[in-house]
Amino acid sequence: MKPLGPIPAGYEAKDGELAIGGRTASDLVAEAGDTPLFVYSRSHLDQRVVALRAAMPDRLGVNYAVKANPFAPVLDHMTGLVDGFDIASGGELEMVLAAGIDPDRVSFAGPGKRDAELKAAIEAEVTLNCESEGEADRALSIGETLGVAPKIAIRVNPSFELKGSGMKMGGGAKPFGLDAERVPSLARKVIANGADFRGLHIFTGSQALSADALIETKGNVLNLADELAGEIGEPLPKLNMGGGFGIPYFAGDEPIDITAIGRALEDRFARLPASLQDAQLCIELGRYLVGEAGVYLCRIVDRKVSHGTTYLVTDGGLHHQLAASGNFGTVVRRNYPVAIATRFDADPAEEVNVVGCLCTPLDRLADAAMLPRAEVGDLVAVFCAGAYGASASPSAFLGQGPALEMLV
Ligand SMILES: *Cc1c(COP(=O)(O)O)cnc(C)c1O
């Protein structure tokens, strides 16, 4: 038997079934018309942001990293909840503009921005978080051609990293950001060329669950920003302090202590150096805001036994839930929180493997899981599906196509 990850708070049984937004899984699938289906819950999104804001200092802005879940109704809902939006491609730029989001709230990071993407961003007046000298030069010359002063922040590749982070994005050689020691001269050049200098962006990693590690890293980020501002010779208008807040996916994972992080930031903010006193300060979060608000529902289409192992074969799989299958940034495959949605209040009764419909042994949704006895036609729920699910999985694989999505 392998343990399942913890089911996030707020999911209860109704008429014996998993309920999301007060409606049963079968009811939601009936409305959507088919499986597989991603269901995202408005009330989860709301509660998450309310709790986060209550814990964090008032002056700390909260940005949403759109790549975690760009589903248009989710994006639209987030506009009323967060302060800023971080995008990482021209496609995401189109999405935030289509959602009517004020370009002043948008910053565009990510390596490999093409000239057409830089041009579209400069025309739309969103802030570019430049990832290299070359990119900043291209942005400056595009701005000159257009006759507009581009808004430019510089993404820093710091020498420290976020400890215990699932995905390290700082420390040592990286394709992201500019090595810290080269930042001041580029910032001075950007300012000298008449661009609207928007400060610094320091992102150090993702999916950390340790408050201590996050507190230490945010402290390092503030120290580094102060040091760089000193060398630039101007206070910073803005500092994006990165994110990294994780969610529990696996057995033994604990939710991060946002109260402790908020208190530590409050303390740091009370004694900020002059270079940061007037800076707009923000964090950028993806999975923490939306991950637990999503559930992936798929249907059991076959039940079979092979060499004594029972397989529940579903119409879902890694083409929608690459991360849950263990093939997106994990070394050892562990089980996400999974349940039989149509028997949500039944006791575990048998050990099964829940698999997808793709013809590859990689397509697993739960290994050796203790679940209630389930039959063909029952619905399986995979939790923590609100981030990096639909948009970060290879839905074209085997001609399967995308899953349905709905916000309730
Ligand atoms: C992906 C990314 C995020 C969001 O990461 P989460 O783990 O979803 O919070 C934030 N900032 C940058 C620069 C990113 O690349």
Side-chain angles (χ1 to χ4, degrees), residues 34-38 296-299 315-317 319-320 402-405:
D34 205 358
T35 46
L37 168 67
F38 284 94
Y296 176 66
L297 296 172
C298 52
R299 200 180 286 286
D315 60 7
H319 53 304
H320 303 144
L404 298 169
E405 294 177 271

Side-chain angles (χ1 to χ4, degrees), residues 65 67-68 155 169 201 203 206-207 245 284-287 388:
K67 77 172 190 281
R155 176 156 174 196
M169 292 177 76
H201 173 208
F203 181 79
S206 246
Q207 181 51 20
F245 293 21
E284 51 174 357
L285 304 173
R287 77 187 73 231
Y388 307 111

Side-chain angles (χ1 to χ4, degrees), residues 11 20-21 39-46 77 293-294 406-408:
Y11 292 101
I20 307 165
V39 183
Y40 311 116
S41 155
R42 276 194 179 83
S43 69
H44 267 85
L45 295 171
D46 295 347
H77 190 71
M406 69 195 288
L407 175 68
V408 295

